[in-house]
């Protein structure tokens, strides 16, 4: 059995399928942890959810966390926010993938699935979260601060607050060379968002899949059909 982690799929279904089916050859003996941000920015948000839900329905050990983009879509779909939940281009791509004109029309099964997602996974040797933790807080408080867990971008890591476990997270696009170095050195904090969706950024544009048992980092280049997205500033 192997344990794999990936994150920040952002509608990149073709790349996800290539990673699981051709690169790591994900099997019923393995476990996959996905750290959120299934939707927005990329071409097929709905397809990514369909694929993950299908794998779970087939009995595959696919464990999914909640990311900030998933929460934003949920809030928009439930009418909980008047703010724009994504850029105009993002909204168009995301809504088109679901075949709807507005977020409140997204079919209920997708919303139920997203609404049931947890905020972290606590494994014997790793803690998995979408963005990170505010380590300035008391341990019990920081692990209930869901906004930070989905959105924080900078923090000072304190392993003592995670019982000495390594932290694995996504959220902030990280150059592939840096992510590879962290995996190679078995770092205490492993960053896995290598900006797969940013197809115009050569230092990004790859989906990272980490083997938690060997620290092998698989980098799978974005293989989506062309879609509109701006180049992300370095």
């Amino acid at each position: 059995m192997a344990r794999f982690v990936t994150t920040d799929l952002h509608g990149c279904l073709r790349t996800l399928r290539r990673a699981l089916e051709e690169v790591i050859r994900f099997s019923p003996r393995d476990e996959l942890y996905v750290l959120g941000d299934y939707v927005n920015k990329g071409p097929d948000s709905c397809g990514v959810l369909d694929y993950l839900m299908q794998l779970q329905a087939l009995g595959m050990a696919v464990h999914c966390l909640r990311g900030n983009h998933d929460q934003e879509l949920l809030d928009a779909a439930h009418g909980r926010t008047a703010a724009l939940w994504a850029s105009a281009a993002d909204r168009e791509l995301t809504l088109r993938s679901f075949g709807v004109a507005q977020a409140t029309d997204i079919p209920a099964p997708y919303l139920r699935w997203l609404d049931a997602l947890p905020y972290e996974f606590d494994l014997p040797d790793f803690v998995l979260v979408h963005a990170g933790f505010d380590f300035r807080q008391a341990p019990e408080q920081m692990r209930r601060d869901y906004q930070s867990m989905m959105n924080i971008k900078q923090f000072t890591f304190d392993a003592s607050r995670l019982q000495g476990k390594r932290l694995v997270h996504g959220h902030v696009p990280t150059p592939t060379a840096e992510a590879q170095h962290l995996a190679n050195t078995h770092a205490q904090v492993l960053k896995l968002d290598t900006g797969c969706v940013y197809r115009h950024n050569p230092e990004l544009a790859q989906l990272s899949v980490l083997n938690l048992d060997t620290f092998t980092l698989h980098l799978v280049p974005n293989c989506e059909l062309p879609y509109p997205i701006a180049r992300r500033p370095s």
Side-chain angles (χ1 to χ4, degrees):
M1 185 190 82
R3 298 177 299 165
F4 296 102
V5 184
T6 190
T7 189
D8 291 84
L9 305 175
H10 285 300
C12 293
L13 174 62
R14 291 167 63 97
T15 312
L16 174 62
R17 294 195 66 147
R18 177 170 292 179
L20 299 191
E21 297 170 16
E22 300 178 25
V23 177
I24 68 168
R25 299 187 181 277
F26 183 59
S27 79
R29 299 185 304 276
D30 301 325
E31 292 184 335
L32 175 68
Y33 296 90
V34 193
L35 308 187
D37 277 8
Y38 313 99
V39 301
N40 295 348
K41 300 179 185 278
D44 197 356
S45 296
C46 181
V48 165
L49 297 185
D50 282 336
Y51 184 57
L52 294 172
M53 293 165 71
Q54 179 185 41
L55 290 176
Q56 291 177 336
L58 290 172
M60 304 288 275
V62 177
H63 313 286
C64 297
L65 284 182
R66 183 184 310 228
N68 60 300
H69 280 271
D70 314 313
Q71 186 63 55
E72 289 169 9
L73 184 62
L74 270 173
D75 289 342
H78 290 309
R80 290 195 289 256
T81 176
L84 296 178
W85 50 273
S87 71
D90 286 358
R91 290 197 304 277
E92 181 180 358
L93 277 177
T94 300
L95 295 175
R96 186 192 309 162
S97 76
F98 286 100
V100 299
Q102 53 192 9
T104 51
D105 294 330
I106 292 174
Y110 298 108
L111 303 181
R112 285 196 297 269
W113 189 86
L114 291 170
D115 216 15
L117 294 175
Y119 296 92
E120 67 170 330
F121 290 125
D122 198 346
L123 307 184
D125 44 357
F126 294 91
V127 174
L128 314 180
V129 69
H130 177 65
F133 296 98
D134 182 353
F135 286 94
R136 298 170 300 179
Q137 300 176 346
E140 63 277 5
Q141 181 181 358
M142 77 177 198
R143 298 181 83 160
R144 292 197 302 267
D145 182 359
Y146 302 134
Q147 287 302 314
S148 291
M149 293 163 73
M150 291 188 293
N151 291 284
I152 197 167
K153 292 188 176 181
Q154 293 182 327
F155 55 83
T156 300
F157 179 66
D158 183 350
S160 68
R161 302 200 173 205
L162 298 179
Q163 298 79 50
K165 300 177 183 181
R166 287 181 169 86
L167 176 65
V168 185
H169 72 91
H171 185 55
V172 178
T174 301
T176 54
E178 181 181 348
Q180 185 69 72
H181 174 73
L182 293 171
N184 289 347
T185 57
H186 297 197
Q188 285 295 110
V189 179
L190 296 151
K191 304 176 183 179
L192 287 192
D193 178 9
T194 44
C196 176
V197 73
Y198 290 105
R199 63 190 185 93
H200 300 307
N201 286 67
E203 76 281 10
L204 301 171
Q206 299 197 53
L207 183 66
S208 286
V209 185
L210 177 69
N211 185 317
L212 289 176
D213 301 301
T214 65
F215 287 86
T216 301
L217 184 68
H218 303 274
L219 293 167
V220 183
N222 181 311
C223 62
E224 307 302 313
L225 299 177
Y227 55 92
I229 190 169
R231 180 186 174 93
R232 190 178 195 275
S234 300

